[in-house]
Amino acid sequence: MAPSLEVSPDAVQDVLAHPLKQKPDLVAPEPEHCPGPESEQAGTADSCAGCPNQQICASAPKGPDPDIPIITARLAGVKHKILVLSGKGGVGKSTLTVQLAQAFATNPDTNVGVMDTDICGPSIPKMLGVESETIHVSNAGWSPVWAADNLACMSIQFMLPNRDDAIIWRGPKKNGLIKQFLKDVEWGDLDFLLVDTPPGTSDEHLSVNTFLKESKIEGAVMVTTPQEVSLLDVRKEIDFCRKAGIRILGLVENMSLFVCPKCDYESEIFRATTGGGRALAKEMGIPFLGSVPLDPRIGQACDYGESFFDAFPDSPASKALKGVVRRLAGEIGLDPREVVPEG
């Protein structure tokens, strides 16, 4: 029989109130990083040993990608390109991307685009209510799917024969599709292009950064939940951005509290044992954009492809999300009141 793990409530509270005072030091040396497929050392550097793409990189043409100037010209009408990153799955990255896009789109004078680079788990079309749409191809290129008059999106979901088909691709094929989303899609004139990314610091993230570097990424928004298990991976994502030269616009703590839809009572579902997102932002020296409560109506709105802001404009979560957007606008040098008007 397994031993009893019963612990007194007082002991549990003591642990939560007094987390580890000293972080563990890394014993192993930091690993070498990928030199990049454009490098002259691609496929031959010591850090390439054991990489599944080693042979591809070694045989690929060296030097800058000739398609980057085409991508830069295609995105000339996009004012602000913002990545949404986490490093951790399950923190509500795609949901927050949609909420940010819809919050920006509450201003009828603002045009917003969302690019779904989560190739194996595309969920943006479902959340925007355009899952059954398909891509229109013309002489100008691929046309994004418009979920509203001023909100467009592009995702691999629009290309699947059946909505439940799995995408079983290796890195090079994913990278090729991401390039097409940037090179072949007629995005037009947009105020904001939000790029939703999968968890991790791998192929998709490197590709987006490489393809957008010349057209100037505004920066990245980090998403976390309060518990330390989530913060561990977010620290790695912050480190990735700093090594890749991506400006960190700020950090959002998602699902920080549970807000009862009936009485607005707040309770902690995920206890911030080490201080949560606010403490992490202070520790890493990045802006804290705000906390968004866990409201089940956000999930319901995403399931039905509806705007949470239209359905529940006065909810605590709606107000918190608009506050995040205003602080984000301030970080990129815009007037927050013009981007998302009060009320």
Side-chain angles (χ1 to χ4, degrees):
M1 181 181 294
S4 174
L5 297 178
E6 293 181 2
V7 182
S8 68
D10 292 339
V12 173
Q13 290 301 321
D14 181 66
V15 171
L16 293 176
H18 302 89
L20 293 175
K21 294 181 175 61
Q22 184 176 359
K23 297 184 181 68
D25 294 328
L26 291 176
V27 177
E30 187 178 42
E32 294 186 49
H33 293 276
C34 173
E38 303 89 6
S39 170
E40 294 295 334
Q41 294 183 321
T44 60
D46 292 340
S47 57
C48 297
C51 175
N53 296 327
Q54 182 176 10
Q55 186 175 357
I56 297 173
C57 289
S59 59
K62 302 299 186 292
D65 190 326
D67 287 329
I68 289 180
I70 301 174
I71 293 172
T72 303
R74 174 70 85 174
L75 299 178
V78 180
K79 295 179 181 176
H80 305 286
K81 307 164 194 70
I82 300 173
L83 308 181
V84 181
L85 306 173
S86 174
K88 180 71 174 175
V91 298
K93 204 165 39 273
S94 297
T95 301
L96 185 70
T97 301
V98 168
Q99 301 311 310
L100 293 178
Q102 290 177 336
F104 280 126
T106 57
N107 185 342
D109 297 326
T110 299
N111 292 320
V112 186
V114 180
M115 191 174 83
D116 188 357
T117 63
D118 193 346
I119 306 300
C120 295
S123 55
I124 297 294
K126 175 69 174 178
M127 296 182 183
L128 290 176
V130 290
E131 188 181 22
S132 60
E133 299 293 331
T134 56
I135 295 174
H136 176 70
V137 182
S138 66
N139 291 335
W142 297 356
S143 298
V145 174
W146 291 86
D149 291 340
N150 60 341
L151 177 55
C153 70
M154 176 56 67
S155 172
I156 193 175
Q157 184 69 41
F158 301 132
M159 306 176 183
L160 301 181
N162 301 298
R163 56 176 287 182
D164 296 329
D165 285 351
I167 298 95
I168 309 172
W169 289 0
R170 292 189 183 274
K173 198 166 183 180
K174 293 180 185 178
N175 298 342
L177 182 64
I178 291 172
K179 180 187 283 189
Q180 283 188 282
F181 282 173
L182 295 168
K183 181 171 70 77
D184 297 335
V185 174
E186 182 61 31
W187 288 106
D189 294 330
L190 296 177
D191 294 285
F192 301 96
L193 177 63
L194 302 178
V195 182
D196 181 40
T197 62
T201 55
S202 190
D203 290 330
E204 295 91 335
H205 309 78
L206 291 168
S207 296
V208 169
N209 184 46
T210 300
F211 297 147
L212 290 181
K213 185 164 284 188
E214 292 297 323
S215 58
K216 296 181 181 178
I217 301 173
E218 195 73 53
V221 174
M222 296 289 161
V223 186
T224 187
T225 47
Q227 71 273 36
E228 179 62 24
V229 171
S230 176
L231 301 178
L232 283 172
D233 287 345
V234 176
R235 286 187 179 91
K236 296 178 178 63
E237 196 78 37
I238 292 172
D239 184 55
F240 163 78
C241 286
R242 288 173 173 168
K243 288 173 177 172
I246 301 172
R247 178 190 171 196
I248 301 172
L249 298 172
L251 184 142
V252 179
E253 184 181 82
N254 199 23
M255 297 182 264
S256 59
L257 295 169
F258 170 72
V259 179
C260 177
K262 294 183 178 180
C263 65
D264 289 343
Y265 177 77
E266 297 180 351
S267 59
E268 290 182 308
I269 301 298
F270 304 112
R271 184 72 180 265
T273 54
T274 58
R278 186 181 296 275
L280 176 63
K282 183 178 180 180
E283 172 194 340
M284 304 298 285
I286 61 177
F288 183 66
L289 299 179
S291 299
V292 179
L294 175 60
D295 190 328
R297 295 173 296 186
I298 294 179
Q300 185 178 5
C302 290
D303 283 347
Y304 286 103
E306 299 174 351
S307 171
F308 177 72
F309 298 96
D310 291 343
F312 307 102
D314 298 322
S315 66
S318 181
K319 294 176 181 178
L321 285 163
K322 287 185 177 181
V324 167
V325 170
R326 292 190 184 101
R327 294 182 198 100
L328 176 59
E331 289 295 327
I332 58 180
L334 302 176
D335 186 345
R337 293 168 296 180
E338 292 183 2
V339 172
V340 180
E342 299 285 348

